[in-house]
Amino acid sequence: MNLLAFDLGGSGGKVMEGHFDGKRITLSELVRFEHSSVLMGDGLYWEIAGIYRNLLDGLRKASGPVLSLGIDSFSNDFGFIDKNGELLTPVRCYRDERTSRYADYVYGKISPRRLYELTGNQNALFSTLMQLGAMQAAGQDWILDNAYKLLFVPDLLIYFLTGEAAAEYTISSVSQLYSYSDREFSKEVLEAFNIRRDLFGPVVMPGTVTGQLRERLCREQGISPFRVVSVCEHDTASAYLSSPLDRRDAIIISSGTWSLMGCELQQPLINEAAYRHNIANEGGYPDHHRFLKNVMGSWIIQEIRAEYRFKGIEYSYAELENMAKKATPFAFFIDVDDTCFFAPGNILGKIEESCRQRYGTVPEDTGALVRCVYESLAMKYRRNLELLKEVTGISFSVINIIGGGSKDSLMCSFTANACCLPVAAGPQEATVLGNILVQLIAAGKITSIKEGRNIIVDSFPTQVYEPEDTSRWKEGYDRYCALFPVK
């Protein structure tokens, strides 16, 4: 049985083919590509046509009969279509600076506290609501008034494939437009911003068969028709499903461009403490609700590589890691979630300026700079571990790092050391596997996520990192806390 998963991240995408023999899952890579946002004028955009072209390339390379396809991606970004299905505007990137210019406009209509009460989402510049508010404040509300549908990126790609317009639940749930209590887009939020409910498609749950590939598409691409399943389209929702640690006391870190650090709860947790610490409630497959903190993740390292590449120097992740190992421990800390690191560009200068402000000096070489980022990220994990324990009342005893970051042995060991907990690393292709699990449930081949996780354990063993040198890391964490106290 062959199932296709298209996983689109902030720096790259891939089409993977999953093979299920009834006991184990194996994966084959059909297409992998890098991509990035492009600055055009004052706007930051995704090259959606190129993304779609790579998706089609992957569909053509499938090895045999395909049962279904699932698509997942980063959240909050969207495209508008008209009644004829034509794309009305380019797809903006959530890192576009327009949201910072117009944040006061949004919070002038609904306060951050009320937004959290209504949606349970973190207050952040990148949300769909912030982007729509920025459009209105900039005089682009005519687009909202005249568009036929707003489609989140995975739903937009599905529309291109099938002609069906929907709003999948997990990616809708993190838009700052969705109400968990109403199980629908929030009437209060929509009315406050004069946004039509029919601008969005019907909310569909993960596991819904959305449609079949268009006949013309199959004819032109030379592929046989198959169905498209709305999986957990928010990539973090898919990734969490593949965690082999099916237990309440586990912290899960989906590690990629962003690190999404949290735990699974059966219901949203929306209270004063969660609001104060800006902890996100995110919808998942039933009974797999996520309660987590967003951390900047490997974005800063990706930006370091990109800046050196622009200068004609190509560093691999392994090379950067080896340089970091040789640098002096705990020499510099930064707040990896500082808003100065959010937008692309000049990352080396930003890190140096942050260090200069606090230490009066800067990292002396690339290894010291990268070690500063890795150690600061591990310290942020420790901070968030304590916040999540405080708000949930759960005593966590293990951390599972999934996704691309699970292959970074230095970061995994730093995380174990900083948090004083064992780290189970893997699976690496977590998002793809979660995508495939939902397709298997939709096909009736497995009955639950628990069953699927057991299959993943048998198919993709994890590597365990035990904490070491914890007293020294505790001293480093105390210095970190003195520099960056909890607000």
PDB file of all heavy atoms in Angstrom, residues 151-167:
ATOM      1  N   LEU A 151      -7.919  30.440   1.629  1.00  0.00           N
ATOM      2  CA  LEU A 151      -7.503  29.060   1.836  1.00  0.00           C
ATOM      3  C   LEU A 151      -6.105  29.033   2.439  1.00  0.00           C
ATOM      4  O   LEU A 151      -5.166  29.634   1.902  1.00  0.00           O
ATOM      5  CB  LEU A 151      -7.507  28.289   0.504  1.00  0.00           C
ATOM      6  CG  LEU A 151      -8.867  28.144  -0.185  1.00  0.00           C
ATOM      7  CD1 LEU A 151      -8.701  27.520  -1.561  1.00  0.00           C
ATOM      8  CD2 LEU A 151      -9.808  27.292   0.665  1.00  0.00           C
ATOM      9  N   PHE A 152      -5.973  28.344   3.592  1.00  0.00           N
ATOM     10  CA  PHE A 152      -4.651  28.155   4.175  1.00  0.00           C
ATOM     11  C   PHE A 152      -3.792  27.360   3.198  1.00  0.00           C
ATOM     12  O   PHE A 152      -4.310  26.625   2.352  1.00  0.00           O
ATOM     13  CB  PHE A 152      -4.767  27.439   5.510  1.00  0.00           C
ATOM     14  CG  PHE A 152      -5.568  28.205   6.525  1.00  0.00           C
ATOM     15  CD1 PHE A 152      -6.848  27.790   6.901  1.00  0.00           C
ATOM     16  CD2 PHE A 152      -5.064  29.366   7.090  1.00  0.00           C
ATOM     17  CE1 PHE A 152      -7.594  28.507   7.821  1.00  0.00           C
ATOM     18  CE2 PHE A 152      -5.803  30.095   8.012  1.00  0.00           C
ATOM     19  CZ  PHE A 152      -7.076  29.667   8.378  1.00  0.00           C
ATOM     20  N   VAL A 153      -2.475  27.481   3.308  1.00  0.00           N
ATOM     21  CA  VAL A 153      -1.579  26.953   2.276  1.00  0.00           C
ATOM     22  C   VAL A 153      -1.860  25.494   1.913  1.00  0.00           C
ATOM     23  O   VAL A 153      -1.983  25.164   0.726  1.00  0.00           O
ATOM     24  CB  VAL A 153      -0.103  27.159   2.692  1.00  0.00           C
ATOM     25  CG1 VAL A 153       0.829  26.328   1.814  1.00  0.00           C
ATOM     26  CG2 VAL A 153       0.266  28.640   2.574  1.00  0.00           C
ATOM     27  N   PRO A 154      -2.000  24.548   2.873  1.00  0.00           N
ATOM     28  CA  PRO A 154      -2.302  23.175   2.453  1.00  0.00           C
ATOM     29  C   PRO A 154      -3.647  23.063   1.741  1.00  0.00           C
ATOM     30  O   PRO A 154      -3.774  22.319   0.763  1.00  0.00           O
ATOM     31  CB  PRO A 154      -2.311  22.392   3.774  1.00  0.00           C
ATOM     32  CG  PRO A 154      -1.592  23.243   4.741  1.00  0.00           C
ATOM     33  CD  PRO A 154      -1.847  24.649   4.336  1.00  0.00           C
ATOM     34  N   ASP A 155      -4.653  23.808   2.228  1.00  0.00           N
ATOM     35  CA  ASP A 155      -5.965  23.765   1.584  1.00  0.00           C
ATOM     36  C   ASP A 155      -5.923  24.401   0.199  1.00  0.00           C
ATOM     37  O   ASP A 155      -6.670  23.995  -0.702  1.00  0.00           O
ATOM     38  CB  ASP A 155      -7.003  24.477   2.455  1.00  0.00           C
ATOM     39  CG  ASP A 155      -7.281  23.731   3.748  1.00  0.00           C
ATOM     40  OD1 ASP A 155      -7.371  22.494   3.697  1.00  0.00           O
ATOM     41  OD2 ASP A 155      -7.390  24.378   4.804  1.00  0.00           O
ATOM     42  N   LEU A 156      -5.049  25.391   0.017  1.00  0.00           N
ATOM     43  CA  LEU A 156      -4.889  26.004  -1.299  1.00  0.00           C
ATOM     44  C   LEU A 156      -4.293  25.004  -2.282  1.00  0.00           C
ATOM     45  O   LEU A 156      -4.767  24.875  -3.420  1.00  0.00           O
ATOM     46  CB  LEU A 156      -3.985  27.239  -1.176  1.00  0.00           C
ATOM     47  CG  LEU A 156      -3.707  28.019  -2.459  1.00  0.00           C
ATOM     48  CD1 LEU A 156      -4.991  28.633  -3.022  1.00  0.00           C
ATOM     49  CD2 LEU A 156      -2.661  29.115  -2.203  1.00  0.00           C
ATOM     50  N   LEU A 157      -3.272  24.275  -1.844  1.00  0.00           N
ATOM     51  CA  LEU A 157      -2.669  23.253  -2.704  1.00  0.00           C
ATOM     52  C   LEU A 157      -3.666  22.140  -3.012  1.00  0.00           C
ATOM     53  O   LEU A 157      -3.729  21.635  -4.140  1.00  0.00           O
ATOM     54  CB  LEU A 157      -1.415  22.691  -2.038  1.00  0.00           C
ATOM     55  CG  LEU A 157      -0.268  23.696  -1.824  1.00  0.00           C
ATOM     56  CD1 LEU A 157       0.847  23.058  -0.997  1.00  0.00           C
ATOM     57  CD2 LEU A 157       0.279  24.189  -3.153  1.00  0.00           C
ATOM     58  N   ILE A 158      -4.459  21.758  -2.013  1.00  0.00           N
ATOM     59  CA  ILE A 158      -5.486  20.736  -2.237  1.00  0.00           C
ATOM     60  C   ILE A 158      -6.520  21.239  -3.241  1.00  0.00           C
ATOM     61  O   ILE A 158      -7.006  20.486  -4.092  1.00  0.00           O
ATOM     62  CB  ILE A 158      -6.143  20.331  -0.905  1.00  0.00           C
ATOM     63  CG1 ILE A 158      -5.160  19.512  -0.059  1.00  0.00           C
ATOM     64  CG2 ILE A 158      -7.426  19.531  -1.133  1.00  0.00           C
ATOM     65  CD1 ILE A 158      -5.654  19.188   1.338  1.00  0.00           C
ATOM     66  N   TYR A 159      -6.862  22.523  -3.143  1.00  0.00           N
ATOM     67  CA  TYR A 159      -7.812  23.084  -4.103  1.00  0.00           C
ATOM     68  C   TYR A 159      -7.259  23.012  -5.523  1.00  0.00           C
ATOM     69  O   TYR A 159      -7.979  22.654  -6.467  1.00  0.00           O
ATOM     70  CB  TYR A 159      -8.152  24.531  -3.753  1.00  0.00           C
ATOM     71  CG  TYR A 159      -9.136  25.135  -4.720  1.00  0.00           C
ATOM     72  CD1 TYR A 159     -10.496  24.903  -4.584  1.00  0.00           C
ATOM     73  CD2 TYR A 159      -8.696  25.887  -5.806  1.00  0.00           C
ATOM     74  CE1 TYR A 159     -11.412  25.411  -5.496  1.00  0.00           C
ATOM     75  CE2 TYR A 159      -9.599  26.397  -6.725  1.00  0.00           C
ATOM     76  CZ  TYR A 159     -10.955  26.162  -6.562  1.00  0.00           C
ATOM     77  OH  TYR A 159     -11.854  26.654  -7.484  1.00  0.00           O
ATOM     78  N   PHE A 160      -5.990  23.335  -5.697  1.00  0.00           N
ATOM     79  CA  PHE A 160      -5.388  23.240  -7.029  1.00  0.00           C
ATOM     80  C   PHE A 160      -5.472  21.814  -7.556  1.00  0.00           C
ATOM     81  O   PHE A 160      -5.667  21.589  -8.761  1.00  0.00           O
ATOM     82  CB  PHE A 160      -3.911  23.664  -6.983  1.00  0.00           C
ATOM     83  CG  PHE A 160      -3.687  25.126  -6.715  1.00  0.00           C
ATOM     84  CD1 PHE A 160      -2.495  25.551  -6.140  1.00  0.00           C
ATOM     85  CD2 PHE A 160      -4.644  26.073  -7.030  1.00  0.00           C
ATOM     86  CE1 PHE A 160      -2.276  26.896  -5.890  1.00  0.00           C
ATOM     87  CE2 PHE A 160      -4.432  27.426  -6.781  1.00  0.00           C
ATOM     88  CZ  PHE A 160      -3.240  27.833  -6.210  1.00  0.00           C
ATOM     89  N   LEU A 161      -5.345  20.833  -6.652  1.00  0.00           N
ATOM     90  CA  LEU A 161      -5.361  19.425  -7.066  1.00  0.00           C
ATOM     91  C   LEU A 161      -6.765  18.892  -7.317  1.00  0.00           C
ATOM     92  O   LEU A 161      -6.979  18.090  -8.232  1.00  0.00           O
ATOM     93  CB  LEU A 161      -4.689  18.559  -6.001  1.00  0.00           C
ATOM     94  CG  LEU A 161      -3.188  18.750  -5.765  1.00  0.00           C
ATOM     95  CD1 LEU A 161      -2.749  17.901  -4.577  1.00  0.00           C
ATOM     96  CD2 LEU A 161      -2.384  18.392  -7.007  1.00  0.00           C
ATOM     97  N   THR A 162      -7.733  19.304  -6.501  1.00  0.00           N
ATOM     98  CA  THR A 162      -9.048  18.658  -6.500  1.00  0.00           C
ATOM     99  C   THR A 162     -10.206  19.571  -6.880  1.00  0.00           C
ATOM    100  O   THR A 162     -11.282  19.076  -7.253  1.00  0.00           O
ATOM    101  CB  THR A 162      -9.356  18.075  -5.109  1.00  0.00           C
ATOM    102  OG1 THR A 162      -9.549  19.149  -4.172  1.00  0.00           O
ATOM    103  CG2 THR A 162      -8.236  17.165  -4.625  1.00  0.00           C
ATOM    104  N   GLY A 163     -10.041  20.878  -6.713  1.00  0.00           N
ATOM    105  CA  GLY A 163     -11.154  21.805  -6.923  1.00  0.00           C
ATOM    106  C   GLY A 163     -12.070  21.922  -5.718  1.00  0.00           C
ATOM    107  O   GLY A 163     -13.092  22.620  -5.782  1.00  0.00           O
ATOM    108  N   GLU A 164     -11.706  21.288  -4.587  1.00  0.00           N
ATOM    109  CA  GLU A 164     -12.515  21.343  -3.371  1.00  0.00           C
ATOM    110  C   GLU A 164     -11.920  22.345  -2.389  1.00  0.00           C
ATOM    111  O   GLU A 164     -10.708  22.323  -2.128  1.00  0.00           O
ATOM    112  CB  GLU A 164     -12.600  19.964  -2.713  1.00  0.00           C
ATOM    113  CG  GLU A 164     -13.204  18.879  -3.592  1.00  0.00           C
ATOM    114  CD  GLU A 164     -14.671  19.125  -3.895  1.00  0.00           C
ATOM    115  OE1 GLU A 164     -15.347  19.794  -3.081  1.00  0.00           O
ATOM    116  OE2 GLU A 164     -15.146  18.647  -4.942  1.00  0.00           O
ATOM    117  N   ALA A 165     -12.763  23.214  -1.825  1.00  0.00           N
ATOM    118  CA  ALA A 165     -12.306  24.249  -0.891  1.00  0.00           C
ATOM    119  C   ALA A 165     -12.778  23.915   0.519  1.00  0.00           C
ATOM    120  O   ALA A 165     -13.987  23.818   0.763  1.00  0.00           O
ATOM    121  CB  ALA A 165     -12.835  25.618  -1.315  1.00  0.00           C
ATOM    122  N   ALA A 166     -11.834  23.746   1.433  1.00  0.00           N
ATOM    123  CA  ALA A 166     -12.171  23.420   2.818  1.00  0.00           C
ATOM    124  C   ALA A 166     -11.207  24.133   3.746  1.00  0.00           C
ATOM    125  O   ALA A 166     -10.205  24.720   3.316  1.00  0.00           O
ATOM    126  CB  ALA A 166     -12.116  21.904   3.034  1.00  0.00           C
ATOM    127  N   ALA A 167     -11.516  24.097   5.038  1.00  0.00           N
ATOM    128  CA  ALA A 167     -10.653  24.656   6.076  1.00  0.00           C
ATOM    129  C   ALA A 167     -10.406  23.551   7.095  1.00  0.00           C
ATOM    130  O   ALA A 167     -11.244  23.312   7.968  1.00  0.00           O
ATOM    131  CB  ALA A 167     -11.296  25.874   6.739  1.00  0.00           C
TER     132      ALA A 167
END
